[in-house]
Amino acid sequence: MRRLIINADDFGLTAGINSAILKAHLEGVVTSATLMATARAFDQAAALAPSTPDLGVGCHVTLVDGSPLLQPSQVPTLIEGRDSVRFYRSSGAFAWHTITRHINPAHIESEAAAQIHRLQAAGISVTHVDTHKHSHILPQVLQPLVRAAQACGGRKIRNPFEPLRLNGLLRHPQLWKRWIQFRTLSTLAQAFCKTVKNAGMITTDGIIGMVATGALDEELFRSLIENLPDGTWEFVCHPGYNDPELQSLRTRLRKSREQELKILTAPATRELLERNQVELISYHDLT
């Protein structure tokens, strides 16, 4: 039996991304989304969410490449420099400062809780949590994130580990480096499962599509679905419109967002899922 949550990240980042996520849900196969509490189009996304009650909406906790919801003086170790008001721009720099214990776990917990609370204050029943750039793949981030989610009444969290198969990747040399990076980080999977289980939280068997981010096409998506193992999985996607608002932001995902939207709303995609007997669920349904 194979069950799949299709989750759109970056809800709230721009108005175009908000529109694309709703289109991918109403006209396509997206079942859940994660909302960024500190993003520029948060208010619009929060206002739109009640119109799609079947769309599970979680919190896309941002701890890197963005700005804190709390005052920088409240979370100083998360801030890039003494004269800055922003998080570390680089995931590598954030990871290094986390691993070397220069980032205070209490600051991660406080900021994560503040972001989750903002969604709840907007009337959103938060179905789950994950993190921008998958930063909770690190145990030093996962543990305070779990505490923050629990304090806010949350019990579901993304499993950021992917069954790393080479099917379809050989013709994408630009993805080989990402494959090696996540292959190295997969050694942390056992610790993740133990932490989540001990906290009494719920997660999936893992995710698919993380390595393919930015390069997804119909053939690669088909390979992912046809090789999906038994169990409950999450497909991570980033639909959007490559409009002037997106182009003004610092992101590597531009044209790829429109390509993903096309895949997610194509009739052939639903047919592919049905042919492979993959049941679509949302984070609402994850038990």
Side-chain angles (χ1 to χ4, degrees):
M1 182 178 183
R2 295 182 294 178
R3 306 165 80 213
L4 184 64
I5 297 167
I6 299 184
N7 190 94
D9 286 2
D10 298 345
F11 197 25
L13 186 60
T14 69
I17 287 174
N18 292 347
S19 297
I21 289 175
L22 291 188
K23 179 181 177 69
H25 171 62
L26 295 172
E27 302 178 24
V29 294
V30 163
T31 59
S32 289
T34 32
L35 177 55
M36 306 175 82
T38 61
R40 61 171 69 185
F42 169 85
D43 289 336
Q44 183 202 46
L48 289 170
S51 68
T52 55
D54 292 334
L55 180 71
V57 178
C59 184
H60 197 52
V61 175
T62 302
L63 301 168
V64 64
D65 192 24
S67 300
L69 192 60
L70 297 175
Q71 292 297 316
S73 59
Q74 296 176 279
V75 288
T77 63
L78 296 179
I79 305 304
E80 189 169 31
R82 183 175 298 176
D83 299 323
S84 175
V85 294
R86 294 180 56 86
F87 295 134
Y88 291 96
R89 291 181 181 269
S90 161
S91 295
F94 172 79
W96 173 251
H97 284 83
T98 299
I99 293 169
T100 55
R101 301 182 185 278
H102 287 92
I103 290 180
N104 187 337
H107 294 164
I108 294 175
E109 183 176 348
S110 297
E111 177 61 27
Q115 292 183 27
I116 297 169
H117 277 310
R118 187 179 188 200
L119 269 66
Q120 293 173 328
I124 294 170
S125 179
V126 178
T127 56
H128 62 294
V129 296
D130 58 31
T131 52
H132 187 47
K133 308 289 187 181
H134 310 290
S135 60
H136 72 290
I137 204 168
L138 300 173
Q140 296 88 345
V141 177
L142 173 65
Q143 292 164 3
L145 178 66
V146 165
R147 291 195 294 270
Q150 289 179 312
C152 298
R155 291 195 60 219
K156 301 175 186 180
I157 188 169
R158 168 179 290 168
N159 180 341
F161 294 93
E162 183 166 10
L164 295 169
R165 302 179 178 185
L166 288 174
N167 307 76
L169 292 180
L170 293 177
R171 63 184 180 85
H172 292 281
Q174 74 272 29
L175 299 180
W176 296 353
K177 181 180 178 182
R178 283 174 60 82
W179 188 91
I180 293 170
Q181 290 172 335
F182 285 115
R183 178 76 176 181
T184 302
L185 289 168
S186 67
T187 58
L188 302 172
Q190 186 174 358
F192 170 87
C193 292
K194 182 178 180 180
T195 297
V196 170
K197 182 179 179 180
N198 289 344
M201 296 191 72
I202 303 168
T203 190
T204 64
D205 292 306
I207 63 174
I208 61 170
M210 183 165 65
V211 173
T213 299
L216 190 74
D217 57 22
E218 290 88 349
E219 187 175 344
L220 190 50
F221 181 75
R222 183 171 62 252
S223 177
L224 288 168
I225 297 303
E226 290 177 346
N227 291 280
L228 186 68
D230 287 340
T232 301
W233 301 87
E234 178 185 359
F235 174 71
V236 180
C237 59
H238 300 81
Y241 291 106
N242 188 23
D243 55 19
E245 186 181 11
L246 180 65
Q247 293 168 18
S248 71
L249 299 181
R250 182 178 177 270
T251 174
R252 71 181 180 90
L253 304 180
R254 299 186 189 282
K255 292 182 179 179
S256 64
R257 293 183 187 269
E258 293 192 347
Q259 172 68 8
E260 290 195 19
L261 178 60
K262 181 180 177 182
I263 294 170
L264 294 165
T265 54
T269 296
R270 192 172 292 278
E271 293 168 6
L272 173 69
L273 294 165
E274 292 174 354
R275 187 167 63 250
N276 285 274
Q277 298 181 320
V278 176
E279 178 189 358
L280 284 182
I281 65 169
S282 76
Y283 263 101
H284 283 304
D285 309 311
L286 184 65
T287 57

